[in-house]
């Protein structure tokens, strides 16, 4: 033994002498591979790989797509996948996503190259949707499994899934069943092959039996790891949205650029003011510019002190804060008409610290073009030369500054750099006003506005207007002119009803975008039975999509039948039943939402420009970006940056934004994470000849 050690020592000395290094000087380690933080997605154009790409893009995780349908696509070979950089072996991708376990032809050299790459650098592979068969560690479904529709099935995260990539979920994974007449999901439930190294992460009950079988699991074989997903999906379906974060975490070992959270914010507009009520006889809203029948008498809806007490109590019991967008003139007008007293203002001011407040302009005036309401629909008024008459900069500034002064006089805790204009006016509104009021930007700048609410349904991308960046807001289909369920349902029936049913006929004229109601909803049960489930599902979809944009309703929805609460109760109850406590809803105010969108847009631009370099060597993750770039990453708990904990905790991991100085940011991973991620496997014989999803199957079994 001593002779062996001596021989080794002599060999090292000889090597040192050969390269001309002084004795005792250690060589730099160039044997540990470098793995670039980028995902390779091989797409067949199907919905499953598109969904994974959407998740990567949404999180801000860079990926390279190879489109199998493109004649000009690159060939996937060893040179495409890896090389040597600065004397160190480099894996160009930290994960591989395939449409199934082997989308290439029999005997494919590309699949062989991928398999060898995954072995050499311990690179995980996601099979976005594949057929249950022994090649992926599963029995054919006829042996104790199932193939068919999964609509309405409630799958479950196993103990291994909760301890692994899906630890942010509480356990249930419900599959959508939004329309009983349409098949919305299809998949395979299968049991692992005896002796296979297969770990089930998500399973579901097998119809007609008391057993459960795998729906998502990890298959280890031949020095490789595959995440086998046995159901097809698209990026919008709830079952995928629930699992998407975990799929990315699995493929990246929880170490990747980008981040994902669940956001929900709700803006309540027109607080202190009154909203006009829908008239079911004339199918319009008296007081609006398009309701001109003289018989349509005006009626208004306004909150009361009891509604303030209810809102405060609701917030406390649901651990959620509402954002109140206020118009000061509503209070002053009410006082003028009621002997100087306004109980609503008294209550809201007394409880002002229980809410967040946003300037909604003083009198909710339309701040775009001057409206000519002598015609329906209205048009922009014009000057003698035919040019558009615009609301002036002085008028816009007055609406902003007067409301700030009024709010400050009441002691409201407002941020003066936030604004929501009435009806999002001043910004373009088609078809009447296809451009922003040119006086809007200067008025925003003059008043120091940095964050201005816009309507996501017509202006979804954040953009600069004067000094402000827009914050697109999702409208909830709970109408501003409805205080009761009967009002809401009657208007809903009119808007979405066919002409044959006495509706507006919008759905008749626009069948590609609007579906007619099969029959009018009941005014007594239609809200709870139809509208609430639909609106809460849509809102929950935004929450599950890593989308921070706020939703907005109106003060009329907090009074009378209090229409907002059933929707929010449903969203929050569903979310909290699906997610673990380590992944709470993030409830941001407008300026913080705007800043989040701003950072994301800048990050995506930096990634697109190729100015970000990120890689991992051993227990170090290095990110290089231009000075001022906000860098974001998701890493395991215990990761440090400069000796202190990186980012903040969320969903069992840590993530955050860090401003780059131009120097390399080095994140140090905890030793447990390094060990868990595995090391490069030794070469092994790998079967790369089988195609997927078709192969030899038992008689009677079809895909």
């Amino acid at each position: 033994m001593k002779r062996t050690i001596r021989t080794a020592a002599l060999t090292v000395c000889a090597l040192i002498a050969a390269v001309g290094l002084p004795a005792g000087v250690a060589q730099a380690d160039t044997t540990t591979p470098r793995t670039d933080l980028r995902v390779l997605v091989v797409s067949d154009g199907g919905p499953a790989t598109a969904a994974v790409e959407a998740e990567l893009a949404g999180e801000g995780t860079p990926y390279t797509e190879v489109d199998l349908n493109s004649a000009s696509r690159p060939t996937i070979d060893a040179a495409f996948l890896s090389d040597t950089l600065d004397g160190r072996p480099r894996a160009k991708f930290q994960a591989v996503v395939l449409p199934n376990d082997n989308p290439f032809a029999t005997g494919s050299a590309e699949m062989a190259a991928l398999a060898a790459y995954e072995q050499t650098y311990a690179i995980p592979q996601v099979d976005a949707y594949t057929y249950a068969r022994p090649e992926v560690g599963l029995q054919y479904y006829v042996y104790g499994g199932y193939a068919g529709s999964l609509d309405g099935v409630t799958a479950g995260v196993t103990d291994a899934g909760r301890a692994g990539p899906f630890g942010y979920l509480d356990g249930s994974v419900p599959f959508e069943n939004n329309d009983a007449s349409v098949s919305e999901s299809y998949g395979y439930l299968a049991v692992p092959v005896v002796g296979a190294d297969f770990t089930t992460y998500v399973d579901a009950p097998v119809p007609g039996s008391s057993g459960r079988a795998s729906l998502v699991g990890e298959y280890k074989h031949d020095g490789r790891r595959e995440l086998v997903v046995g159901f097809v999906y698209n990026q919008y379906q709830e079952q995928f949205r629930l699992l998407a974060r975990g799929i990315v975490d699995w493929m990246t070992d929880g170490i990747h650029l980008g981040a994902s959270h669940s956001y929900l914010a709700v803006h309540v507009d027109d607080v202190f003011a009154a909203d006009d009520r829908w008239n079911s006889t004339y199918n319009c809203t008296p007081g609006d510019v398009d309701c001109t029948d003289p018989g349509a008498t005006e009626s208004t809806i306004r909150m009361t002190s009891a509604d303030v007490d209810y809102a405060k109590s609701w917030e406390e019991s649901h651990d959620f804060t509402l954002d109140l967008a206020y118009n000061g003139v509503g209070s002053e007008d009410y006082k003028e008409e009621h002997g100087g007293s306004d109980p609503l203002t008294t209550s809201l001011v007394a409880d002002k610290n229980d809410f967040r407040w946003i300037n909604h302009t003083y009198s909710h005036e339309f701040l775009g073009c001057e409206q000519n309401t002598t015609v329906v629909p209205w048009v922009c008024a014009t000057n003698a030369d035919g040019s558009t008459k615009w609301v002036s900069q002085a008028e816009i500034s007055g609406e902003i500054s007067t409301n700030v002064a009024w709010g400050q006089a009441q002691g409201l805790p407002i941020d003066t750099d936030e604004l929501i204009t009435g009806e999002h006016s001043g910004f373009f509104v088609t078809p009447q006003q296809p451009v922003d009021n040119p006086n809007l930007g200067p008025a925003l700048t003059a008043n120091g506005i940095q964050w201005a609410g816009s309507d996501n349904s017509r202006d979804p991308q954040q953009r600069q207007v004067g000094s402000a960046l827009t914050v697109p807001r999702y409208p909830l289909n709970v109408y501003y002119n409805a205080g009761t369920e009967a009002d809401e349902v009657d208007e809903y029936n009119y808007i979405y009803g066919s002409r044959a049913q006495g509706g507006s006929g919008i759905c008749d004229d626009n069948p590609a975008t609007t579906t007619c109601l099969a029959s009018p909803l009941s005014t007594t049960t239609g809200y709870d039975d139809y509208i609430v489930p639909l609106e809460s599902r849509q809102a929950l979809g935004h929450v599950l999509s890593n989308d921070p944009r706020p939703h907005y309703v109106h003060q009329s929805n907090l009074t009378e039948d209090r229409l907002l609460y059933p929707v929010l109760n449903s969203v929050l109850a569903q979310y909290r039943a699906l997610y673990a406590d380590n992944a709470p809803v993030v409830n941001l105010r407008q300026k913080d939402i705007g800043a989040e969108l701003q950072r994301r847009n800048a990050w995506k631009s930096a990634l697109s420009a190729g100015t970000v370099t990120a890689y991992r060597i051993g227990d170090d993750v290095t990110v290089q970006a231009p000075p001022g770039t906000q860098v974001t990453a998701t890493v395991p708990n215990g990761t440090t940056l400069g000796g202190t904990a990186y980012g903040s905790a969320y969903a069992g991991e840590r993530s955050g934004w860090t401003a780059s100085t131009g120097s390399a940011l080095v994140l140090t991973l905890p030793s447990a994470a390094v060990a868990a991620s595995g090391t490069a496997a030794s070469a092994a014989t790998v079967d790369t000849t089988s195609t997927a999803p078709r192969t030899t199957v038992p008689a009677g079994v079809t895909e």
Side-chain angles (χ1 to χ4, degrees):
M1 179 62 71
K2 290 182 179 178
R3 183 165 50 194
T4 302
I5 293 175
R6 174 179 169 78
T7 302
L10 290 172
T11 302
V12 172
C13 290
L15 287 172
I16 291 173
V19 297
L21 294 175
V25 176
Q27 289 180 282
D29 168 34
T30 58
T31 60
T32 302
R34 160 179 159 163
T35 302
D36 286 355
L37 300 191
R38 175 173 286 271
V39 175
L40 172 64
V41 180
V42 179
S43 172
D44 63 351
T49 49
V52 175
E53 287 181 334
E55 178 65 18
L56 293 169
E59 292 197 27
T61 302
Y63 68 92
T64 295
E65 181 194 76
V66 173
D67 183 359
L68 294 176
N69 298 312
S70 172
S72 61
R73 73 171 178 87
T75 298
I76 300 173
D77 55 18
F80 178 80
L81 297 167
S82 62
D83 60 10
T84 300
L85 187 65
D86 298 328
R88 182 188 302 278
R90 176 176 68 152
K92 297 180 182 179
F93 307 100
Q94 68 180 130
V96 174
V97 178
L98 302 181
N100 50 65
D101 60 295
N102 184 353
F104 303 96
T106 301
S108 166
E110 289 184 294
M111 191 64 227
L114 279 169
Y117 173 70
E118 292 168 11
Q119 287 179 310
T120 302
Y121 295 100
I123 302 300
Q125 173 183 307
V126 173
D127 305 334
Y129 166 52
T130 198
Y131 181 73
R133 60 199 184 100
E135 287 82 354
V136 294
L138 295 170
Q139 295 277 18
Y140 295 109
Y141 73 86
V142 294
Y143 303 126
Y146 166 81
S149 173
L150 296 173
D151 293 6
V153 168
T154 298
V157 181
T158 65
D159 290 342
R162 282 191 289 269
F166 302 106
Y168 58 92
L169 293 176
D170 207 32
S172 296
V173 181
F175 276 62
E176 292 183 352
N177 187 20
N178 299 324
D179 188 338
S181 65
V182 177
S183 179
E184 299 167 29
S185 56
Y186 186 92
Y188 301 91
L189 296 172
V191 297
V193 171
V194 176
D197 189 351
F198 193 99
T199 303
T200 298
Y201 291 141
V202 180
D203 65 8
V206 177
S209 81
S210 59
R212 300 179 70 89
S214 179
L215 199 56
V216 180
E218 177 179 327
Y219 180 41
K220 294 181 180 178
H221 64 106
D222 301 326
R224 301 164 62 205
R225 290 190 296 141
E226 292 182 51
L227 188 70
V228 180
V229 182
F231 68 96
V232 71
Y233 46 88
N234 64 54
Q235 63 180 291
Y236 305 105
Q237 290 181 301
E238 182 175 303
Q239 54 265 32
F240 172 71
R241 293 258 43 93
L242 290 170
L243 298 174
R245 178 191 182 96
I247 292 172
V248 173
D249 282 347
W250 182 89
M251 75 170 79
T252 63
D253 295 313
I255 303 163
H256 61 88
L257 297 179
S260 177
H261 293 73
S262 299
Y263 300 91
L264 179 63
V266 178
H267 294 176
V268 182
D269 292 1
D270 304 350
V271 172
F272 294 114
D275 289 298
D276 295 316
R277 188 186 302 275
W278 171 257
N279 186 297
S280 60
T281 301
Y282 295 93
N283 292 320
C284 64
T285 307
D288 282 5
V289 295
D290 61 350
C291 194
T292 57
D293 193 298
T297 57
E298 190 170 345
S299 174
T300 59
I301 312 165
R302 189 172 189 256
M303 290 175 64
T304 66
S305 293
D307 298 321
V308 178
D309 293 339
Y310 189 93
K312 178 181 175 182
S313 176
W314 181 90
E315 285 187 330
E316 292 172 351
S317 63
H318 289 78
D319 191 24
F320 190 87
T321 301
L322 297 170
D323 295 88
L324 305 187
Y326 73 96
N327 308 101
V329 75
S331 173
E332 297 307 310
D333 285 349
Y334 191 93
K335 290 176 184 177
E336 184 177 340
E337 297 168 2
H338 295 83
S341 175
D342 180 13
L344 174 61
T345 298
T346 300
S347 295
L348 281 170
V349 170
D351 293 329
K352 59 183 180 291
N353 293 320
D354 292 298
F355 307 98
R356 291 191 294 245
W357 297 86
I358 307 173
N359 182 357
H360 195 32
T361 72
Y362 185 64
S363 59
H364 204 280
E365 291 295 324
F366 189 84
L367 302 180
C369 63
E370 293 186 17
Q371 294 175 296
N372 176 1
T373 60
T374 62
V375 293
V376 177
W378 65 270
V379 296
C380 287
T382 56
N383 297 303
D385 61 0
S387 60
T388 300
K389 284 186 177 182
W390 297 105
V391 173
S392 70
Q393 179 181 337
E395 290 176 272
I396 299 172
S397 288
E399 280 289 311
I400 298 170
S401 60
T402 303
N403 209 43
V404 168
W406 186 90
Q408 290 175 333
Q410 310 305 315
L412 301 182
I414 62 174
D415 274 316
T416 58
D417 55 0
E418 295 178 329
L419 177 70
I420 300 168
T421 58
E423 300 179 53
H424 305 103
S425 59
F427 299 112
F428 70 86
V429 52
T430 54
Q432 295 100 323
Q433 184 194 312
V435 297
D436 295 340
N437 182 343
N439 298 318
L440 177 65
L444 298 179
T445 301
N447 287 274
I449 303 301
Q450 297 184 46
W451 313 105
S454 62
D455 188 339
N456 188 81
S457 63
R458 68 176 189 240
D459 196 5
Q461 301 304 318
Q462 187 177 63
R463 61 190 180 93
Q464 191 88 38
V465 182
S467 60
L469 285 171
T470 60
V471 181
R473 307 190 304 161
Y474 286 112
L476 278 177
N477 233 358
V478 182
Y479 303 129
Y480 80 96
N481 51 3
T484 68
E485 293 184 6
D487 287 344
E488 168 76 13
V489 174
D490 185 86
E491 184 174 4
Y492 198 95
N493 284 337
Y494 178 72
I495 293 174
Y496 293 102
S498 66
R499 290 188 182 89
Q501 297 171 344
S504 66
I506 293 173
C507 58
D508 297 317
D509 300 335
N510 302 278
T513 57
T514 306
T515 301
C516 292
L517 289 169
S519 60
L521 304 179
S522 164
T523 55
T524 56
T525 62
Y527 186 67
D528 290 331
D529 292 347
Y530 185 92
I531 297 176
V532 169
L534 179 61
E535 290 306 305
S536 61
R537 183 171 72 242
Q538 292 178 344
L540 182 62
H542 299 149
V543 177
L544 303 187
S545 299
N546 188 29
D547 190 344
R549 291 173 176 83
H551 295 77
Y552 73 93
V553 291
H554 297 80
Q555 64 83 35
S556 52
N557 308 138
L558 299 189
T559 189
E560 298 185 359
D561 286 349
R562 296 171 177 158
L563 299 174
L564 173 62
Y565 297 111
V567 176
L568 290 190
N569 289 343
S570 177
V571 172
L572 292 173
Q574 289 183 75
Y575 182 85
R576 289 165 180 166
L578 294 169
Y579 280 76
D581 291 342
N582 65 5
V585 166
V586 180
N587 177 217
L588 301 178
R589 71 172 302 136
Q590 178 168 296
K591 66 187 303 180
D592 296 323
I593 294 170
E596 175 69 15
L597 292 173
Q598 180 185 31
R599 288 190 294 259
R600 290 188 188 192
N601 290 335
W603 174 244
K604 290 178 181 179
S605 295
L607 291 177
S608 298
T611 57
V612 177
T613 301
Y615 57 87
R616 174 184 174 184
I617 299 175
D619 60 359
D620 285 339
V621 172
T622 302
V623 185
Q624 187 93 34
T629 303
Q630 291 283 339
V631 173
T632 182
T634 296
V635 291
N637 281 321
T639 300
T640 58
L641 174 63
T644 60
Y646 171 75
S648 57
Y650 190 82
E653 300 170 308
R654 299 193 73 85
S655 57
W657 293 95
T658 304
S660 171
T661 63
S663 300
L665 294 171
V666 180
L667 302 174
T668 302
L669 303 171
S671 57
V674 175
S677 63
T679 56
S682 60
T685 302
V686 182
D687 172 21
T688 61
T689 61
S690 301
T691 58
R694 293 180 175 83
T695 186
T696 303
V697 298
V701 175
T702 58
E703 181 187 352

